[in-house]
Each structure stands twice: as structure tokens, then as C-alpha cells.
Amino acid sequence: MRYASFIFRALAASMPASLTYAAYNTTLTNFNAAGAQTTRFNTAGDAVDAHDGKISLFNGEYYLYGTSYDCGYEWQVTGASFCGFKAYSSPDLVHWTDRGYLFNAATATWQTRCSGTSYGCYRPHVIYNPSTSLYVLWINVYDNIIGFRVFASPNPAGPFIEAPVPVLAVNAGAPIAGLNNGDHDLFVDDDGTAYIAFTDWRTGGRIAIERLNSTFLSGTGSFVQGITPGSTEAPALFKRSPSYYLTYSDPNCGYCGGTGTSYRTATSPLGPWSATQTNINANSCGGQPSFVAAIPVTSGTAYLYGSDLWNNAAKNEALANYFWAPLTFAANGSINAISCQNTVTMSLSTGSAGSQLPPAADLDNTAGVDGFRTFCDIGSAIRRSQSFVATRTGVLNAVSFTTFQNGKPNAGLEIAVYAANASYQPIGAALSSVVVPTGSMGWSARGVTANPNIPVTAGSRYAIVVRSAASAGCYGMEYNDSAPYPGGGAAYSNNSGASFAAETNRTLKFETHVSPATGLAMRRQSRRSSNPKSLRFIKADGRRIRFTKQGK
């Protein structure tokens, strides 16, 4: 309790003034018209990288919390780094602003606790305690007996400061750290009492619930065990008056893309819980259940169900997408079977229109952010190309290509610019070329920017060509086969660039930036582009890295 007093004095701050919004209709996209998963991008145009977490509403803003996989974390892979936990905020559940990491997970302490050598760390959940004016974060760990670590912060996006290890009654006497308590959810009842629901691995994967103390930093010893028969995980606890509901993964399965979702009900968080379970979706719409979030809508409250669409086949969970849709209920309070809808429209009573970040003044072409999917094959003999038509005459000072690494490629990614023909195919010699080191690219899809600094002419067609000498792993792309950029198409080569096959309706996610230039500046840029010692710049992960132009 001395620590609690200290952390309250050190961190307590008044809640930001609540924001007031008018009702706003928002549309969530889970799949494209063909039923294929699509990527959610943040407001900067990079893929959202927050998984196995939850959406919460704080001060008029929606916060998405989740585990990051961008650094290449892999479950039970020795030496795989732990990436940390991230937060995103949104006014409309669609446009998500990256708020960064909840705390610094790059330290030796956290790498020891959470790396792939151990069982890892997962499922960040945050609740607000009005009596202390602090946001409380719980994460699931496997380096201590109780299976959790807790933090507090005066801000919903952190930074969070770690508190002492919490005390829970269930498995408090376990002999060693490890598979004791697992996946969890936090829930605050109408009377302000908080609870944690979690997987009890010592009883074979049964769900338990324990009431938390007034600080929300530890348990009280009041609990119920054995709510489920075993082999279950990923609980979500919520109330839809007068009943309490517990949804969970049935059965449990690490990173499986398609476990069932079932639920039970009770009249109190500590039970008794219904003796039978009801399955509401056989494969969680292609994933594993993650959360149920209470969202205020004009008709009352929507209970937004979320599942993680794990990418376990490729061993890169940074590419995992999401299924989000409100649960529906029958007249008797039972949950209806979940319909795996491509899109869902919600009338938010707390919300407002979001948007992507304003484009730079020199933006010339962009593929946008809607309807894109991931695919990885760039490397060895495979090359990909995206053509574009310059809309202004000037200097092509930047091209951005959205990519990711997968399978630990053993060479960098080359980004080159060519002239292109009317069939979208690159022609002639490269006008500019640079190799981006593997270490400058993440496992989550995000833009990597090269700075060609070459002259371009309005109305002329060019192509961005990406390739790699990697003989292991691959580099990926985001693509949309509905031609969101009508000014150009993609092209594909499987013979090291000897020929390219046009892909007319395909658009790879890209941007180009052109600055106007005087005749003198254009001549200077032309001379620089032919100078083998000229320099190119790459922007990756917020850094500018200087590289020498390729050539003899």
C-alpha cells in the first residue's frame, strides 16, 4: 500500500476535460467484397500493429491497445526480440493515430521477461480508476508465478510505470513461474468494482474471475474458478443488464486462425455461471476472440466483438488483421450467432469524423489506404513494379513503397525508378536506385521512402521497381486488385527482370512526391542523377539514412 500511495502522488493528474461529440455514423471494414481480409492503416498510412488487446473509450476518444510484432517477435523462437505494447487513438473507430509504446520494452529487463526465448508477454488491457485518477494497465507474463504485471499512468496512452507484482488467489502457491495464469480481461462494473477474468492453466485452461482491490492494482482474494470445463482462453467479461457475459476461445489454440467463440452468463461476476456454454461462431470469423467492448451508440450500447485474424501460416503476426462487429441479442438476452460481415456501420453517440494526416504539399500521386491486402514474394528472381504518371514537371524527390519483411531475408530491398511504357512495364535503365538495409524495415507493413531526386515530366509514365538479392525470406507488398489508382497498373517479373507481365487492375500501395524546379535546378538534378557518386536518402521508421547511389 505504501507503493500505491507513492504512485498516486507521483502520477495522479486530473482527467482531461471530456470531449463532446454529436452522433456520427462510422463504417468498419473487415473484408473486401470477395471476403478476403484487408489491412487497417493508421493515419500516417502504416498498418496498425496492435494485437491481442482491446478497444476502450476514454475522454471521448477510442483507444486500441495491443501487442506489437513489428520488430519480428515470434512465439517460442529463441532470440526473437520482444517488441512491446502500443496504443492507437481514434474518434471514429476507423482512423487510428499511433500513440506509441506504453512503456520502453527495449530494456534488458523486458527482453529477458518477454523475448521469444520465454513464453512472451501479451494482452495489454487498460481501465480507468476514478478514485485515483489513474489508468491501470495489466499484461500477461510468464516470468513470475502469478502470471501478470501491472502499471499505472495519468494518461491513457502512457507512459506507464510498473507497480509491484499483483497478488491473486488463484495459483498463488504455484511452485514455479510459467504456465500458471494466462489470457485475461479487465472489467469495471456499474458500481465501480473491477474484476479480472483469466485462464487458469493449472486446471487445464479453465476460466477464473477475481475481484480487484480499490486501486485496481491487485486482487482481493474473492474469486470463482472453473467457469469453463478446460481448453479455453481469451476471455472477455462484460455486462448487458441484467446479465453478465463471458465470451472465450473454445478451444484454446496459440495463434490459430479459426478457433470457436462460446459464452456463458451469470447474474454476478463471481457467479454462479451457467453450466452450459453456447457457441456463437465456429471459427471466430477466421481468427481467435480477443475482446468485447461497450460502445455508446444512438440506440444505447453496442457490444463490439473483436477477433484477431492470426497469420500463423507465415509466422509473422505483425500481418494479423482484425474482425470487428457488434454482437446482437435475442429477446431473451441470448447472444445470436455472429455473422462475419465484410463491413459494419455503427451510429456512434460518441464520435466524430476522422481523417488521414494532411498530405504534404509536394504529394503528386498516391494509392490511398482502402482495400489493400498483404502478399510476400519479392526476392531472388521475383520483382514487382508499380507505374505512375507524373502530374507535374519537376523533381521526383520521394517515392514511398509500403513493404515488410518476412522470414528473415538475407539481403536488402532495392527501390528503383524507371521510365515505363503504356502497358505499365519498366523500360530502359534505372533512372535511380538504392538498396534499403533489412534492418531498416519492419515486419509490419509500412512505407519505406527513397529520395531519387531526378527530373520528371508531367504526363510521362514511370515505374517503381522493387527487388532483392535475398535467397531466404522475402519482402512483401500491399496490393488492391480494384485499381484504386487508375493512372497506372502493376507489373510482375519472375525471371530477374528480363520481362514483366502487366497487371492492369492491380495497384501496389505507393506515394510519389514532386517538387517544382526551375530550369537551372532541373539541369542540376539531371547531372546529379547521372553521377555515380551522388547520394540518396532513405526514410524508414522515422529515421533518415544516407546511402550511396548504386552504380560503378
Side-chain angles (χ1 to χ4, degrees), residues 5 25 32 74 80 94 130 168 172 191 249 252 258 312 331 334 350 374 404:
S5 176
N25 289 335
N32 62 20
E74 294 181 82
V94 173
L168 295 177
D191 63 0
S249 177
N252 67 282
N312 57 322
S334 61
T350 299
T374 58
F404 55 89

Side-chain angles (χ1 to χ4, degrees), residues 37-40 47-55 64-73 82-88 101-102 121-125 138-140 183-184 255 288-291 306-311 316-324 374 443-445:
Q37 297 178 23
T38 57
T39 302
R40 283 179 168 84
V48 172
D49 178 38
H51 314 273
D52 60 68
K54 189 172 185 177
I55 292 175
L64 170 64
Y65 299 96
T67 306
S68 170
Y69 288 84
D70 183 58
C71 71
Y73 173 77
F82 173 58
C83 309
F85 301 109
K86 296 197 75 172
Y88 294 80
Y101 289 92
L102 301 183
C121 300
Y122 312 96
R123 291 184 71 83
H125 283 63
W138 285 64
I139 63 172
N140 176 213
D183 285 2
H184 68 288
Y255 294 116
Q288 182 184 39
S290 181
F291 66 83
S307 68
D308 287 297
L309 307 182
W310 293 122
N311 193 49
N316 181 357
E317 301 309 338
L319 302 179
N321 296 310
Y322 315 89
F323 173 82
W324 296 343
T374 58
W443 292 68
S444 179

Side-chain angles (χ1 to χ4, degrees), residues 13 26-27 46-47 59 65 101 152 250 273 281 307 340 343 360 393 456 479 494 517:
T26 193
T27 299
D46 298 327
N59 311 314
Y65 299 96
Y101 289 92
D250 174 36
W273 286 87
N281 194 275
S307 68
C340 301
T343 61
T393 296
V456 293
Y479 73 98
N494 61 3

Side-chain angles (χ1 to χ4, degrees), residues 199-214:
T199 304
D200 175 4
W201 290 124
R202 287 275 167 180
T203 60
R206 293 174 169 85
I207 304 297
I209 297 175
E210 182 163 342
R211 187 167 67 238
L212 301 181
N213 64 19
S214 61

